[in-house]
Amino acid sequence: MLYKIPKSFINELLINTNIVELISSKINIIKKGKNYYSICPFHNEKTPSFSISFEKQFYYCFGCHVHGNAIDFLINYEKINFIESIKELSFFSGMKIPKKNIYFKKYFKEENLYNVLNKISLTYQKNIYKEKNKIAIKYLQKRGINKKSIKIFSIGYSNNIKIISKNYIKKNKKFINNLIKSGILYNEKNNIKNRFTERIMFPIKNLKGNINGFGARTILNKIPKYLNSPETKIFKKTENLYGLFEVYKYNKKIKRLLIVEGYFDVITLFQNKIKYAISILGTSINIYIIKKLFNICNTLIYCYDGDNAGKIASWKTLEISLPYINDEKILKFIFLPKGEDPDSIIKKEGIKKFKNRIKNAIPMSTLLFKKLLKKNDLSNPEKKTKFSRIAISMIEKIPGKIIKFFLKKILGNKLGILEINELNPNKIKNKFKISHKKKNKKILI
């Protein structure tokens, strides 16, 4: 059976929401007269045409004509559905959602999973300080993680004690079922088992601080070394970011993000006052994550591990980011020595040198031409043609006009061509056709 959300609750929710505060928590806005303005988050533009009216509690873009109220903004900006927007808006406004006949069954099922994961996380957090589990604390101390970070990131420990007896399962059937649905337990031939045993537990939180999954690190050399929660109704590995909740919590304004691979990288950086680092749960970068990151801030600095996989991931990140780079967006890369990651290199070199690495991060343009020139030499016209064709096809994907202009200028300099705009393949083809026709006419005469 489906339940409807009462219109009276939605109206009350909108009345109690300040759209200016909501939008300013997501993007930078400037007040001009009665209204507020910003670069539109829904299309590429140079001059701010996105307006927000406090009086009308409404937004409108004079460029792409997108418009709506606070609910519409969340749906379009966060790429979420109506139900999820109501949940987020009620959280933002501090309103409690009525429990009777307002939501779909899906909402209650998701809430149950969040509640279960939050409860099990508290159990893990208590476990880590028990005398019988001192191996966990010793391991974290060895890795340089202090008690303050353990608390901030809600780090815990899952031991191998069998607490799931047949009697317990009968008494707590719903709870056990939700533990299975959330990926903590799994059923193997009617035998319920714990997915995570003897592992350090890293809760993965959404922006509200609710836990939707875990990353788990073995301390007894089990395989695999790291184990993530499986795909569930509230957790998708390719869409989650570790440390994002803490970034929002400890930064008034997010000017840049440092994207790394591991949980320990994020925590070590945080301990060293770099509180804008997040992990993408490995090197599985995708369009969804790219868009999400650029929605948070304009400057992204990627620092993958110093191995071949890290180099491949950097180039893949550059390639899929091109359609989302406008004149405001900045993309940079840090390449670490072989076999190093941010956690290990900071312990070897110190935080001062690592901050210099951030300061001297390689711009997207430098990496683009460095990689292309490595694969293509310019020793003859044919090879120059191949190089220019590949480079132009990549540059044309960028919507930002100014950055595109300068990239073409760099390309022109490398090829020894002064008129960069002439490098458009269609223009070259058209010019060739025109000159060819002219030549033919002369011959006929």
Side-chain angles (χ1 to χ4, degrees):
M1 181 180 176
L2 298 178
Y3 298 93
K4 290 183 178 179
I5 303 171
K7 284 186 178 179
S8 57
F9 174 74
I10 295 170
N11 291 335
E12 189 181 353
L13 187 61
L14 289 169
I15 289 167
N16 283 281
T17 301
N18 182 343
I19 195 170
V20 175
E21 284 184 6
L22 174 70
I23 295 176
S24 66
S25 70
K26 310 287 182 182
I27 60 175
N28 295 324
I29 63 173
I30 300 169
K31 190 175 183 182
K32 289 182 181 179
K34 287 184 178 181
N35 295 335
Y36 296 79
Y37 290 86
S38 174
I39 296 291
C40 181
F42 304 114
H43 83 282
N44 293 318
E45 63 174 4
K46 203 174 176 181
T47 307
S49 61
F50 185 80
S51 68
I52 309 129
S53 171
F54 174 77
E55 289 180 355
K56 296 177 182 178
Q57 288 295 301
F58 199 77
Y59 69 86
Y60 179 79
C61 177
F62 293 93
C64 66
H65 308 296
V66 67
H67 61 276
N69 56 27
I71 295 170
D72 298 316
F73 179 81
L74 285 176
I75 289 171
N76 292 316
Y77 185 79
E78 300 284 357
K79 307 298 180 190
I80 56 179
N81 60 38
F82 180 74
I83 302 294
E84 290 168 330
S85 71
I86 296 294
K87 283 168 66 178
E88 185 164 338
L89 205 58
S90 61
F91 176 82
F92 181 84
S93 303
M95 290 179 66
K96 287 186 177 180
I97 302 165
K99 289 182 180 178
K100 290 184 180 180
N101 64 318
I102 62 144
Y103 259 99
F104 298 106
K105 286 183 179 180
K106 181 185 174 185
Y107 167 74
F108 288 115
K109 286 177 180 177
E110 287 181 358
E111 285 299 299
N112 285 334
L113 293 184
Y114 282 123
N115 290 334
V116 163
L117 289 177
N118 288 335
K119 282 180 183 177
I120 202 73
S121 180
L122 289 173
T123 301
Y124 293 150
Q125 289 170 60
K126 289 175 183 177
N127 272 347
I128 208 163
Y129 290 108
K130 289 181 179 178
E131 180 64 25
K132 58 188 173 185
N133 299 326
K134 60 184 179 182
I135 187 174
I137 280 289
K138 282 185 177 180
Y139 176 80
L140 290 173
Q141 287 173 345
K142 189 180 177 182
R143 294 294 300 261
I145 307 302
N146 60 39
K147 285 186 177 181
K148 188 178 179 181
S149 293
I150 292 171
K151 186 177 180 181
I152 287 170
F153 288 91
S154 309
I155 302 169
Y157 178 67
S158 176
N159 55 24
N160 61 349
I161 297 171
K162 294 177 181 178
I163 57 168
I164 308 163
S165 64
K166 288 182 180 179
N167 187 46
Y168 183 85
I169 292 168
K170 285 179 182 178
K171 286 183 179 179
N172 302 274
K173 198 172 181 180
K174 283 186 178 179
F175 184 70
I176 294 296
N177 283 337
N178 281 325
L179 281 173
I180 293 170
K181 288 175 184 177
S182 64
I184 299 298
L185 305 177
Y186 65 99
N187 197 333
E188 188 180 85
K189 296 177 182 179
N190 295 321
N191 186 18
I192 295 171
K193 295 182 178 180
N194 188 353
R195 189 178 302 276
F196 308 105
T197 56
E198 295 170 331
R199 288 179 181 269
I200 301 291
M201 302 300 290
F202 300 93
I204 299 162
K205 306 170 188 175
N206 62 19
L207 287 179
K208 300 179 189 70
N210 284 324
I211 296 161
N212 53 17
F214 288 93
R217 209 279 187 197
T218 180
I219 54 174
L220 296 176
N221 298 319
K222 286 185 178 182
I223 296 173
K225 187 194 290 185
Y226 284 95
L227 187 63
N228 287 107
S229 291
E231 298 274 308
T232 67
K233 288 182 179 179
I234 61 171
F235 179 78
K236 286 181 176 59
K237 184 183 174 183
T238 55
E239 295 180 5
N240 277 270
L241 297 163
Y242 179 73
L244 188 59
F245 171 75
E246 287 76 19
V247 168
Y248 271 99
K249 187 176 179 180
Y250 291 93
N251 291 277
K252 288 182 180 179
K253 189 177 180 181
I254 303 169
K255 295 179 180 179
R256 56 184 170 174
L257 284 173
L258 179 63
I259 300 98
V260 295
E261 285 186 43
Y263 307 108
F264 284 106
D265 297 329
V266 171
I267 299 164
T268 298
L269 287 161
F270 186 92
Q271 285 185 180
N272 285 280
K273 310 300 180 186
I274 297 175
K275 298 181 180 180
Y276 52 88
I278 57 167
S279 169
I280 56 171
L281 311 185
T283 55
S284 55
I285 195 74
N286 56 65
I287 291 168
Y288 177 89
I289 293 292
I290 295 289
K291 289 168 75 175
K292 189 173 184 176
L293 293 173
F294 269 137
N295 277 339
I296 296 167
C297 69
N298 286 336
T299 302
L300 305 181
I301 306 167
Y302 288 86
C303 182
Y304 294 115
D305 292 353
D307 52 23
N308 193 50
K311 290 177 183 177
I312 293 168
S314 294
W315 182 247
K316 183 186 174 185
T317 299
L318 184 149
E319 284 186 299
I320 66 174
S321 298
L322 293 176
Y324 307 98
I325 296 174
N326 57 37
D327 296 330
E328 306 291 326
K329 308 296 183 185
I330 297 169
L331 192 64
K332 293 183 177 182
F333 298 88
I334 297 170
F335 290 94
L336 299 177
K338 191 175 180 180
E340 302 290 355
D341 56 38
D343 176 44
S344 65
I345 201 74
I346 287 170
K347 285 165 185 171
K348 282 184 180 180
E349 295 183 348
I351 192 61
K352 190 175 180 181
K353 285 190 177 180
F354 189 83
K355 283 181 177 178
N356 282 334
R357 289 183 183 274
I358 296 174
K359 188 179 178 181
N360 300 317
I362 298 169
M364 174 273 296
S365 57
T366 303
L367 178 60
L368 176 67
F369 288 108
K370 187 179 178 181
K371 184 79 173 178
L372 291 178
L373 284 167
K374 194 176 180 181
K375 289 183 176 181
N376 305 274
D377 67 67
L378 308 177
S379 58
N380 58 53
E382 287 80 9
K383 288 180 178 179
K384 282 185 177 181
T385 301
K386 183 185 175 183
F387 169 75
S388 61
R389 189 173 65 247
I390 296 167
I392 292 164
S393 66
M394 294 186 76
I395 293 168
E396 287 298 328
K397 290 178 182 178
I398 300 171
K401 291 180 181 179
I402 298 172
I403 184 67
K404 190 188 286 187
F405 169 80
F406 282 111
L407 286 172
K408 284 185 177 181
K409 192 170 183 179
I410 294 169
L411 177 59
N413 289 335
K414 291 187 183 297
L415 294 169
I417 300 170
L418 296 175
E419 291 294 326
I420 296 88
N421 289 329
E422 297 300 317
L423 289 171
N424 188 310
N426 294 324
K427 287 184 179 181
I428 293 169
K429 197 180 280 185
N430 292 334
K431 282 203 166 195
F432 176 77
K433 284 179 181 178
I434 293 164
S435 62
H436 186 67
K437 283 179 182 178
K438 285 179 180 179
K439 282 180 182 179
N440 285 340
K441 282 181 182 178
K442 286 178 181 179
I443 293 166
L444 289 170
I445 289 166

